[in-house]
Amino acid sequence: MRAVLMGPPSAGKGTQAARLGTELKVPHISTGDMFRAAIAAGTELGRQARGFMEAGKLVPDEVTMGIVRERLAYEDAQSGFVLDGFPRTIPQAEGLSKILASQGVKLDAVVLIDVPEDELIRRATGRRICQECGRVYHVEWNPPPGDACECGGALVQRKDDSPETVTERLATYRAQTEPLRDYYSVEGSLAVVDGMGDPDEVHRRIVRVLGRCS
Ligand code: ADP
Ligand code: ADP
């Protein structure tokens, strides 16, 4: 299965993509996680991405395409993947389709997780992530066992989950990513899934639409 999980910031893409990747035994590839890891490791990629991320803007397409092209060439991605948060622009979607065409394959499904804006703000501002293992919690809906992660790691709030930056990320999404809705609708590969309700319920909806695509 080669699937893309799209959706506005904090819609639940990472939560759902991690679970799908495990169940389908394909890698969960999150460009946001790759950028955050690069920042934590102090690499050149991290240096390039940081300012854009902290401002709620997109990292330039050529930088993002470079890391995705590299990642999709790994052995573990040859039999499938769940992409999370990529593509986010039309040029990225075109770039992805070229990479896949060069491998003689194409996407099986693009799933858009739809969540109203007031809920997105609640999900973003309540998100906490483990500094050690990257596990994602929510202070109300998916609280950690105590003050720390299950693995013992410290929990932190993402810098870009402040109310101001969330507003900026939503504006970026509307301007640059929402056009992909039409792009993939025309291609016939888009399925829109209601992202409200608990994560198990949303998961069941996604599995149902993927069942129709495979
Ligand atoms: P994204 O990858 O789209 O930014 P996440 O998967 O990180 O989104 O989810 C954002 C926040 O919302 C996290 O705190 C997560 O625990 C919480 N969350 C995810 N799915 C749901 C859901 N169905 N209901 C309530 N909270 C959710
Ligand atoms: P969310 O979906 O909650 O905004 P992500 O972890 O997917 O969180 O992305 C965090 C930030 O990383 C984005 O606001 C953007 O700056 C950068 N980023 C992630 N994926 C992409 C992408 N495909 N293109 C450009 N920038 C990206």
Side-chain angles (χ1 to χ4, degrees):
M1 170 69 70
R2 293 178 178 83
V4 165
L5 280 198
M6 279 185 54
S10 65
K13 300 180 295 296
T15 302
Q16 297 298 332
R19 188 161 166 183
L20 272 182
T22 306
E23 286 182 9
L24 299 172
K25 298 189 174 59
V26 294
H28 161 210
I29 301 177
S30 156
T31 40
D33 286 350
M34 288 160 84
F35 289 135
R36 278 184 291 278
I39 291 172
T43 65
E44 173 59 21
L45 172 67
R47 198 194 56 73
Q48 288 175 335
R50 183 178 210 138
F52 295 104
M53 292 174 78
E54 288 180 359
K57 309 271 189 219
L58 294 185
V59 177
D61 284 339
E62 52 285 9
V63 175
T64 307
M65 282 314 306
I67 62 164
V68 172
R69 193 174 295 114
E70 219 173 86
R71 182 64 187 87
L72 290 179
Y74 285 16
E75 185 56 38
D76 69 344
Q78 301 317 301
S79 55
F81 49 74
V82 180
L83 278 169
D84 155 13
F86 176 92
R88 261 172 149 105
T89 64
I90 302 257
Q92 289 181 15
E94 291 170 343
L96 174 63
S97 117
K98 277 195 200 134
I99 294 171
L100 296 179
S102 74
Q103 298 177 348
V105 297
K106 59 185 185 50
L107 286 176
D108 297 303
V110 179
V111 178
L112 172 70
I113 305 178
D114 201 22
V115 173
E117 204 159 304
D118 52 346
E119 172 74 8
L120 291 172
I121 294 168
R122 280 196 292 273
R123 287 190 187 180
T125 51
R127 171 163 47 194
R128 298 292 181 274
I129 58 172
C130 173
Q131 240 175 353
E132 298 301 321
C133 72
R135 188 172 166 154
V136 178
Y137 294 94
H138 189 279
V139 289
E140 271 178 75
W141 297 302
N142 178 21
D147 289 342
C149 177
E150 239 176 32
C151 78
L155 295 175
V156 293
Q157 182 165 29
R158 270 170 47 177
K159 253 196 183 150
D160 61 348
D161 276 341
S162 66
E164 304 72 39
T165 314
V166 171
T167 306
E168 189 58 41
R169 281 158 61 208
L170 284 168
T172 300
Y173 176 80
R174 278 193 293 271
Q176 290 180 269
T177 308
E178 217 152 59
L180 285 179
R181 214 178 155 128
D182 284 346
Y183 177 91
Y184 282 122
S185 299
V186 170
E187 279 211 339
S189 44
L190 184 79
V192 180
V193 162
D194 178 7
M196 291 299 280
D198 72 48
D200 289 346
E201 224 175 307
V202 178
H203 175 70
R204 281 194 292 275
R205 291 183 197 128
I206 295 175
V207 169
R208 211 174 303 137
V209 302
L210 290 183
R212 283 187 224 128
C213 302
S214 57

